[in-house]
Amino acid sequence: MALKFRGVDFIEFDPLLSDDERLVRDNTRKVIEENLIPIIEQCNREGRFPKELVKPMAELGFFGANLKGYGCAEMSNVEYGLVMQELERGDSGVRSFVSVQSALVMYPIYAFGSDEQKNKWLPALQKGEKIGCFGLTEPDFGSNPSGMRSRAKKEGNEYVLSGEKMWITSGSIADVAIIWAKCDDEDSNIRGFLVETSRPGFRAADVHGKWSLRASVTSSLSLQDVRVPAANLLPKSDGLKSPLMCLNQARYGIAWGAIGAAMACYDTALQYSKFRKQFRDQPIASHQLVQEKLVWMITEITKAQLLALQVGRLKDQNRAGHQHISMAKKNNVWMALECARMARDILGGNGIADEYPVFRHMANLESVKTYEGTHDIHTLIIGQSITGIDAF
């Protein structure tokens, strides 16, 4: 049974948004309802990324939406966050694609690239003519990226890159990869490189058998003596802080996106509970235990909305710290996963069927809770911020 999403606003959240912010959200919501919702369950079944939506999303300005110039939409960070919310209300995998294209590919070129690199890549990425991926995580190094084994060796006017990357969104469909590696000639300093995926020695292989993010491309990358011009080095990248700055951009979008997934699960459970009858021919919404779950969900969603909005306002004022973004990512993804689990419980057996979106969101959020910094890692980031003591 298809249930039409009705919006989730318990404490008059909408008036906290500007007219432009509401317009961006509502336009994105309409696009998702018309283009993604009708196909997403089949994509999930088939394990297929809806690549046909790339160009339409580009035309709507979703890629690099909060960057300035190069054809980008120049949205505020709050507007960008609301786009992420609606994308993930559709599916975490589709939001992941936009997050990677925007925060992990376009942003590092924008922040660390040369003018030539920016002019070459950003307009093409913004238009969806080129697709990018971000190569930081390795098979043995996720939460500890400083341990990476990927190397870059300078030979004349070229760099030779070797290494393995894992859990890379869009890896096998990308035209360019942002690869992070330790430079032999810089005392193992970590630098970023633009690596065209057509170069000899570069190979991407998709990860199969996923129970999560099935509508997203997830790949491993292998670089075997891949030669790139020295001009492909991102000149302003310098140390681990550079990729971590990129991750901060992505984590911010995730904090908003998780709210969208939670909204979808809550609204589905609420509507279902009103027509599903059990005991004395009464809707299960009349049961105290069901109401308790619904109340928990709407309360936590409301708190998450306010947290994301405040972090977004701070980000628009260049005042958001990495610890603020860590709190928003940690809290909101945890909240969304709990909402998905409670919604599945309310739907009973129907909760496992893809007639409803709940189980798909729940499975997706298991990955979202892990990537871009696990729940525990963000706990330690916040802990270091408030105590001044590094517990890593």
Side-chain angles (χ1 to χ4, degrees):
M1 178 183 294
L3 298 177
K4 178 74 172 177
F5 180 70
R6 304 170 304 172
V8 178
D9 184 355
F10 184 74
I11 59 164
E12 298 189 27
F13 179 80
D14 275 14
L16 299 177
L17 304 175
S18 69
D19 291 342
D20 286 344
E21 290 164 350
R22 285 193 296 273
L23 180 63
V24 166
R25 183 203 58 194
D26 293 346
N27 285 344
T28 308
R29 182 170 293 178
K30 184 173 185 291
V31 169
I32 294 306
E33 287 293 331
E34 293 178 354
N35 297 283
L36 180 59
I37 297 300
I39 66 172
I40 188 57
E41 299 302 347
Q42 191 62 35
C43 288
N44 193 67
R45 286 185 182 186
E46 297 171 357
R48 181 182 77 84
F49 170 65
K51 197 173 180 180
E52 66 271 22
L53 298 183
V54 172
K55 283 297 181 66
M57 289 192 295
E59 290 169 0
L60 291 163
F62 289 172
F63 304 147
N66 57 346
L67 301 181
K68 308 296 183 185
Y70 307 97
C72 297
E74 302 191 9
M75 293 182 189
S76 71
N77 285 292
V78 172
E79 289 168 347
Y80 174 73
L82 290 164
V83 169
M84 296 297 107
Q85 171 185 287
E86 294 305 311
L87 287 173
E88 192 145 359
R89 189 177 61 78
D91 188 76
S92 299
V94 175
R95 196 272 310 143
S96 293
F97 173 84
V98 178
S99 283
V100 169
Q101 185 84 347
S102 302
L104 298 183
V105 179
M106 294 179 71
Y107 173 79
I109 297 172
Y110 182 85
F112 310 125
S114 66
D115 288 341
E116 182 181 357
Q117 291 168 343
K118 294 176 190 178
N119 290 326
K120 176 181 178 179
W121 288 106
L122 291 180
L125 290 161
Q126 190 280 322
K127 294 174 185 175
E129 295 172 353
K130 299 293 184 181
I131 292 173
C133 67
F134 180 85
L136 178 65
T137 295
E138 298 189 354
D140 294 325
F141 296 96
S143 295
N144 178 27
S146 64
M148 71 170 66
R149 297 193 179 103
S150 295
R151 310 295 303 190
K153 182 180 180 181
K154 185 78 177 293
E155 291 188 0
N157 291 323
E158 292 183 317
Y159 281 94
V160 182
L161 279 73
S162 297
E164 306 288 330
K165 301 294 182 180
M166 188 62 185
W167 305 115
I168 308 302
T169 297
S170 302
S172 66
I173 61 173
D175 301 288
V176 63
I178 307 293
I179 297 294
W180 300 92
K182 292 179 176 177
C183 289
D184 288 348
D185 64 325
E186 297 184 25
D187 196 26
S188 294
N189 189 36
I190 294 172
R191 304 294 295 274
F193 296 86
L194 287 159
V195 180
E196 297 89 349
T197 59
S198 59
R199 290 189 176 274
F202 184 98
R203 185 175 65 87
D206 284 346
V207 176
H208 297 289
K210 295 185 299 177
W211 292 111
S212 180
L213 297 177
R214 289 182 51 77
S216 175
V217 174
T218 308
S219 311
S220 63
L221 306 181
S222 175
L223 293 89
Q224 300 296 326
D225 296 329
V226 177
R227 292 181 173 271
V228 299
N232 281 28
L233 169 71
L234 292 172
K236 296 179 184 176
S237 63
D238 183 20
L240 187 60
K241 67 178 181 292
S242 296
L244 293 182
M245 286 172 64
C246 303
L247 292 177
N248 248 357
Q249 302 298 314
R251 291 163 177 170
Y252 169 75
I254 291 169
W256 279 98
I259 297 171
M263 286 177 166
C265 294
Y266 164 77
D267 189 58
T268 298
L270 178 61
Q271 292 190 54
Y272 182 89
S273 71
K274 290 181 176 180
F275 66 73
R276 171 66 169 172
K277 292 184 178 181
Q278 200 70 249
F279 299 111
R280 300 179 300 280
D281 197 35
Q282 293 294 311
I284 61 173
S286 68
H287 300 167
Q288 291 180 353
L289 292 177
V290 172
Q291 287 193 9
E292 191 276 336
K293 292 180 176 66
L294 292 169
V295 169
W296 189 94
M297 293 161 72
I298 188 58
T299 301
E300 293 302 321
I301 290 172
T302 299
K303 288 154 64 176
Q305 287 176 309
L306 295 172
L307 176 57
L309 180 61
Q310 174 62 4
V311 173
R313 295 281 187 243
L314 290 174
K315 199 169 186 336
D316 277 327
Q317 299 166 19
N318 294 316
R319 295 170 55 206
H322 65 276
Q323 70 274 16
H324 301 138
I325 293 171
S326 282
M327 179 176 284
K329 195 274 185 183
K330 165 185 154 72
N331 179 80
N332 292 7
V333 176
W334 162 78
M335 173 279 301
L337 185 53
E338 291 302 308
C339 281
R341 290 168 175 163
M342 287 185 181
R344 207 292 309 158
D345 200 31
I346 290 171
L347 268 64
N350 285 324
I352 70 167
D354 66 8
E355 183 178 4
Y356 302 95
V358 171
F359 204 92
R360 173 172 53 82
H361 280 299
M362 185 170 73
N364 285 341
L365 287 164
E366 290 287 357
S367 291
V368 180
K369 189 169 186 275
T370 295
Y371 69 34
E372 313 288 6
T374 67
H375 188 86
D376 291 348
I377 289 296
H378 285 296
T379 298
L380 297 181
I381 290 171
I382 299 167
Q384 191 281 333
S385 173
I386 62 178
T387 66
I389 301 172
D390 192 341
F392 287 90

